[in-house]
Amino acid sequence: MAEDERLVGKLTVASDVINAAVDFFHDEGFIQLLPVMLGKSTDPLGPDPGSSVIKTAEIEYLGAKLRLMNSMILHKQVAVRKLGKKIWILSPNIRLEKGERKTTKKHLFEFTQADFEIPNAKKEDVMALVERFYKKLNKRMRKSEAFTALGIEPFKFKTPFKVYETHKLEEKYGADWEAPASEAAKQPFWALCHKREFYDKEDVSNPGHYLNYDLVYPLGFGEALSGGERESDYKRILERMGRDKLSMDIYTAYLKEAEQGFLPSAGAGFGIERLVRFLTKEEHIGGVQLFRRVPGEDITI
Ligand code: ASP
Ligand code: MG
């Protein structure tokens, strides 16, 4: 007999979600890559109003300074150039968020995202793909016995999801629009155009506008996914990095790759634990992890 039957139910949902993602990306013709966890360069995670990382974790190894993956975005661009194929990764990320982030109920300092990238794709392609995923998830979750054990009905995703420009959400709900907009929504919705990391493409015909998107869960559960079309041009990448005043030592290795030219691409990543929390209606995201990794909380093992 399990110590905690509810935990078994939640982790069974997680297992079903992972299985659904593996099948979905395979059926859509993606190559699944194994994750990298250490690299010379990693995602700066900023400037992003949603990010509050204290630092990027680094280790010294045989004289080299290696960083733990904040996300594999920079590696995804290299992978797409090397392979010329649609790729995805179940990617473990370490994001050393401030301790206060415990109260958002949706932040973990160690989590896994389903991270994908598509050569020569536009934001509409990614949005349509993500909607196909959630639509397929309906059927999969209906079959999952874990929901019966948890005593809840699986959520029914109704696609296509509504689309908003972020500045419209800001006008309506203020700068911290995500939580109130999520609470007011009954279905996930898209929020387009954020000033974010250098790798999300700026609309050259409309400077200050960005070809990126977040998906936000309804009922107060907040951000599900972030992604965008990417800056693939070396000069643009340098310009954007300069504008963000990034400390360049972290990006030397990435810039060497960028100099060889990237394929235009678009992609995104959705957090597995956030999806499981939404599906199981768990109060705090730490509750869907067997080994909780919540900012500001002590680790037991
Ligand atoms: N995976 C995201 C992307 O593809 C980046 C992130 O992890 O926030 O843009
Ligand atoms: Mg994000």
Side-chain angles (χ1 to χ4, degrees):
M1 182 68 181
E3 230 175 85
D4 184 340
E5 289 293 347
R6 277 191 56 79
L7 186 58
V8 174
K10 289 179 279 185
L11 294 179
T12 305
V13 172
S15 182
D16 290 340
V17 162
I18 292 164
N19 209 249
V22 169
D23 285 351
F24 174 78
F25 283 107
H26 187 267
D27 292 349
E28 291 273 348
F30 283 70
I31 298 188
Q32 183 173 6
L33 303 179
L34 294 175
V36 291
M37 296 197 66
L38 289 168
K40 286 190 169 171
S41 302
T42 190
D43 190 340
L45 292 181
D48 179 347
S51 163
S52 82
V53 290
I54 300 164
K55 61 175 181 182
T56 292
E58 292 179 351
I59 63 162
E60 295 280 334
Y61 178 58
L62 301 178
K65 196 178 268 185
L66 301 177
R67 278 110 195 162
L68 266 75
M69 284 299 121
N70 286 324
S71 92
M72 272 183 65
I73 174 62
L74 310 182
H75 292 78
K76 287 199 298 182
Q77 284 185 288
V78 176
V80 161
R81 188 196 63 225
K82 282 185 186 287
L83 306 174
K85 300 270 187 206
K86 302 190 269 193
I87 53 122
W88 84 288
I89 312 113
L90 271 171
S91 176
N93 291 177
I94 300 292
R95 297 188 183 178
L96 303 178
E97 306 270 1
K98 290 186 184 134
E100 298 98 272
R101 283 283 159 128
K102 178 184 174 142
T103 59
T104 67
K105 302 179 183 170
K106 62 172 190 183
H107 281 95
L108 295 168
F109 65 84
E110 180 179 345
F111 65 92
T112 296
Q113 62 170 317
D115 209 5
F116 62 93
E117 199 70 20
I118 310 171
N120 303 310
K122 298 285 182 205
K123 68 180 192 311
E124 292 75 18
D125 303 318
V126 172
M127 291 160 74
L129 176 97
V130 168
E131 290 176 352
R132 288 199 292 283
F133 171 70
Y134 281 97
K135 205 167 159 210
K136 275 203 173 165
L137 203 56
N138 282 336
K139 214 193 219 164
R140 191 64 174 248
M141 291 300 117
R142 266 204 311 277
K143 280 196 283 176
S144 173
E145 280 164 24
F147 286 99
T148 326
L150 288 167
I152 53 174
E153 283 285 312
F155 184 83
K156 195 163 184 328
F157 294 98
K158 293 192 180 129
T159 57
F161 301 138
K162 285 193 176 143
V163 181
Y164 303 97
E165 295 267 334
T166 304
H167 70 269
K168 294 270 182 218
L169 293 167
E170 282 168 352
E171 275 167 25
K172 185 159 177 197
Y173 296 105
D176 289 328
W177 55 268
E178 189 188 305
S182 167
E183 261 150 40
K186 298 272 180 292
Q187 284 286 326
F189 63 89
W190 293 101
L192 307 188
C193 184
H194 314 269
K195 184 170 190 307
R196 222 171 20 204
E197 290 86 352
F198 72 86
Y199 50 74
D200 279 359
K201 199 178 180 76
E202 187 171 11
D203 185 349
V204 274
S205 64
N206 198 359
H209 288 257
Y210 299 87
L211 301 170
N212 56 16
Y213 32 82
D214 269 17
L215 185 74
V216 180
Y217 289 128
L219 310 168
F221 285 85
E223 181 187 350
L225 161 151
S226 295
E229 291 180 26
R230 312 302 183 185
E231 293 291 0
S232 51
D233 178 75
Y234 179 61
K235 280 208 186 98
R236 290 284 304 155
I237 289 173
L238 275 181
E239 264 172 45
R240 295 286 307 279
M241 284 181 149
R243 207 187 307 174
D244 292 352
K245 300 189 177 54
L246 293 178
S247 99
M248 286 307 197
D249 56 323
I250 299 182
Y251 303 100
T252 314
Y254 171 74
L255 284 171
K256 266 196 201 139
E257 296 282 350
E259 223 175 343
Q260 297 174 47
F262 287 135
L263 290 183
S265 67
F270 61 87
I272 299 292
E273 291 90 340
R274 284 185 175 183
L275 175 52
V276 175
R277 176 186 173 226
F278 176 67
L279 291 169
T280 60
K281 301 287 175 284
E282 183 65 18
E283 170 68 12
H284 195 288
I285 193 163
V288 306
Q289 284 185 312
L290 179 53
F291 300 107
R292 292 171 70 99
R293 296 294 185 257
V294 177
E297 247 183 45
D298 200 17
I299 287 185
T300 52
I301 186 164

